Amino acid sequence: MERDFIDLLELQSRLKEGVECLFPGRIWLKAEVSAVKARSGGHCYLELSQSGENGLAAKASAIIWSSRYRFLAPYFESVTGSPLSEGMSVLVEIQVNYSQLYGLSLIINDIDPDFSLGQRELERRRTVDRLVKEGLADLQKRLSLPLLPRRLAIISAPDAAGYRDFMRHLHENPYGFMFVTELFPAQMQGASCPESVVAALDAVLDSGADYDAVLILRGGGAKLDLACYDDYYMSAVIAQYPLPVLTAVGHDQDYHVCDMVAHEYLKTPTALADYFIGIYEAEDERLSSYMTRMRMAFSHRLAVMEGGIGLLKSRIRGGLALKIGAMESAVDVLGARIAAADPRALLSRGYVLAADSRGVVIKAAKGRKAGDRVTVMFRDGVLGCRVEDVSEFGGDDYEKE
């Protein structure tokens, strides 16, 4: 029984004719790069794909001939900051080609780097809107750092320049502030970055250590290299993390979704080191201010006390002077009285003193009798006498005197 058939070459030829008839000229094609292989000969082979709700929906092979690739590659990288790589959304100008031997292939003649950047920005905005809508954007801001955060868990690549800069700047600070840091290694770029960073965040919690904060560090890089920090999954985990997460990813002009949801973000790893040093410096200045105020208050108190002591000394000195003056006056009066009662003063005025044989002053004639020995003292000498007779004066008044 005869059947109608065609051979493979005819089939491929008809397909070639039909495909090239449908797409006779160059067209712009949007796709995702799922594989890139640059050959030593200069040609670049790519696999372009498109995903749908159920996964991979379409794919095709593409090639950039070396004559075009040597110009397109540096131009694309200069605009996007990253070489053509897997995971990128691209807009390419192609020529559809069908070969009877190799099948369908797409010849890339041009590429629009602005489209790749724009697609990333569009995805970024969608991620931000989703996080805000789910109430995750500000969760980290509600956490509080300790007054002096000291124990820091660091997520970074061990050989990253940003990590080395951070460690050197933090631990060699000029003030001698001491910090405890522990590295949790992670892949810090590329498609595997979000999953690797989340695994490191889990490792921090699983360690059981009491960390004050978690730091995610990466130095500068191409924009598309850093696009992984706009990933929803990683950003959502950071937003809901129980410890404060601080980020320092990229250059001064970079700002990513993970920065937005973090407790705090700094432009560079070195700036993040300065952030923690600044916390300690501010506390040190505050304590120094307290010490200065205490010293001033103590000095003032001493000055007041010294003033009081000085016043008390003056009052004591004045009181003592008055007391001594009064005592000196009393001594002078007593001296005057003593001087007035001095027998020599009486003798100098012509009076005499009589004393009995025992040397006792005789104040009256009464009681004397003839024959008693009497010593009579004058200003200029003493007479030894004997009583011849005693004559007493009469009159009571006189005796009273």
Side-chain angles (χ1 to χ4, degrees):
M1 181 177 179
E2 293 185 3
R3 298 181 179 180
D4 293 332
F5 64 87
I6 60 173
D7 56 30
L8 179 61
L9 178 59
E10 183 179 353
L11 174 64
Q12 294 288 65
S13 298
R14 290 184 183 182
L15 288 174
K16 175 180 173 62
E17 181 181 351
V19 168
E20 293 181 354
C21 181
L22 285 173
F23 302 101
R26 297 175 181 178
I27 60 172
W28 285 95
L29 175 71
K30 183 182 78 170
E32 183 176 319
V33 179
S34 53
V36 179
K37 293 181 181 179
R39 300 298 186 184
S40 58
H43 305 316
C44 180
Y45 295 88
L46 302 91
E47 184 176 276
L48 302 180
S49 63
Q50 180 175 340
S51 298
E53 294 181 359
N54 298 320
L56 185 64
K59 69 176 181 178
S61 298
I63 183 172
I64 308 175
W65 300 120
S66 59
S67 58
R68 299 293 299 165
Y69 187 65
R70 71 169 64 101
F71 299 108
L72 289 179
Y75 170 65
F76 182 85
E77 185 170 354
S78 67
V79 175
T80 63
S82 177
L84 193 64
S85 56
E86 297 177 9
M88 291 183 177
S89 292
V90 293
L91 184 65
V92 291
E93 186 187 51
I94 62 166
Q95 176 70 55
V96 179
N97 181 67
Y98 197 92
S99 167
Q100 293 92 332
L101 186 59
Y102 300 107
L104 179 69
S105 62
L106 308 177
I107 310 301
I108 297 177
N109 296 292
D110 199 359
I111 186 169
D112 183 0
D114 293 329
F115 174 82
S116 298
L117 288 175
Q119 286 296 108
R120 289 292 185 185
E121 180 60 25
L122 180 61
E123 293 175 10
R124 179 182 180 280
R125 291 179 182 177
R126 288 172 179 168
T127 300
V128 170
D129 291 343
R130 181 179 176 184
L131 290 167
V132 171
K133 187 177 297 184
E134 293 173 351
L136 301 180
D138 297 324
L139 289 181
Q140 273 281 316
K141 306 296 189 297
R142 301 173 189 175
L143 301 179
S144 298
L145 281 170
L147 177 63
L148 294 174
R150 179 172 173 269
R151 294 181 57 84
L152 309 174
I154 302 173
I155 297 176
S156 184
D159 57 348
Y163 170 67
R164 293 195 299 269
D165 291 344
F166 172 84
M167 293 293 287
R168 182 173 59 253
H169 202 73
L170 183 73
H171 290 291
E172 297 178 8
N173 68 84
Y175 309 99
F177 300 139
M178 302 297 292
F179 297 89
V180 177
T181 56
E182 185 172 354
L183 175 66
F184 291 81
Q187 180 70 35
M188 302 306 291
Q189 69 180 47
S192 61
C193 172
E195 183 178 352
S196 181
V197 170
V198 170
L201 288 168
D202 291 339
V204 172
L205 295 180
D206 293 340
S207 70
D210 187 19
Y211 293 107
D212 297 321
V214 179
L215 282 54
I216 299 177
L217 305 180
R218 190 198 189 284
K223 289 184 178 180
L224 290 177
D225 283 345
L226 302 176
C228 53
Y229 294 97
D230 293 327
D231 180 77
Y232 168 80
Y233 172 60
M234 179 169 66
S235 299
V237 171
I238 291 174
Q240 300 173 82
Y241 204 67
L243 295 175
V245 178
L246 291 85
T247 59
V249 178
H251 298 295
D252 288 347
Q253 70 274 17
D254 295 320
Y255 183 68
H256 305 281
V257 177
C258 69
D259 297 328
M260 183 196 77
V261 300
H263 177 78
E264 194 75 42
Y265 91 96
L266 281 301
K267 296 294 187 181
T268 64
T270 301
L272 184 55
D274 284 332
Y275 174 83
F276 284 99
I277 294 171
I279 292 175
Y280 277 75
E281 187 178 3
E283 181 65 12
D284 186 59
E285 291 179 357
R286 188 175 69 87
L287 292 177
S288 297
S289 175
Y290 284 158
M291 291 177 63
T292 301
R293 290 166 62 184
M294 289 177 65
R295 191 179 296 113
M296 292 176 62
F298 187 67
S299 298
H300 176 72
R301 182 64 176 170
L302 283 178
V304 172
M305 293 175 67
E306 288 175 351
I309 291 172
L311 179 60
L312 183 59
K313 286 170 64 177
S314 298
R315 294 173 63 183
I316 291 173
R317 191 179 295 113
L320 286 175
L322 291 174
K323 186 67 174 177
I324 291 171
M327 293 173 69
E328 288 177 345
S329 297
V331 169
D332 290 342
V333 171
L334 184 58
R337 292 177 62 186
I338 292 173
D342 188 351
R344 289 174 297 180
L346 295 173
L347 296 177
S348 65
R349 296 200 296 271
Y351 294 97
V352 296
L353 289 176
D356 60 15
S357 58
R358 294 174 298 171
V360 177
V361 175
I362 300 173
K363 296 183 178 180
K366 185 178 181 181
R368 302 298 105 187
K369 61 184 183 293
D372 289 344
R373 295 291 297 179
V374 178
T375 301
V376 180
M377 291 179 284
F378 294 88
R379 178 179 60 81
D380 58 349
V382 179
L383 296 179
C385 303
R386 186 184 298 275
V387 176
E388 291 291 334
D389 60 31
V390 178
S391 297
E392 295 184 11
F393 298 115
D396 294 338
D397 293 337
Y398 186 81
E399 289 180 354
K400 290 179 181 180
E401 293 178 0

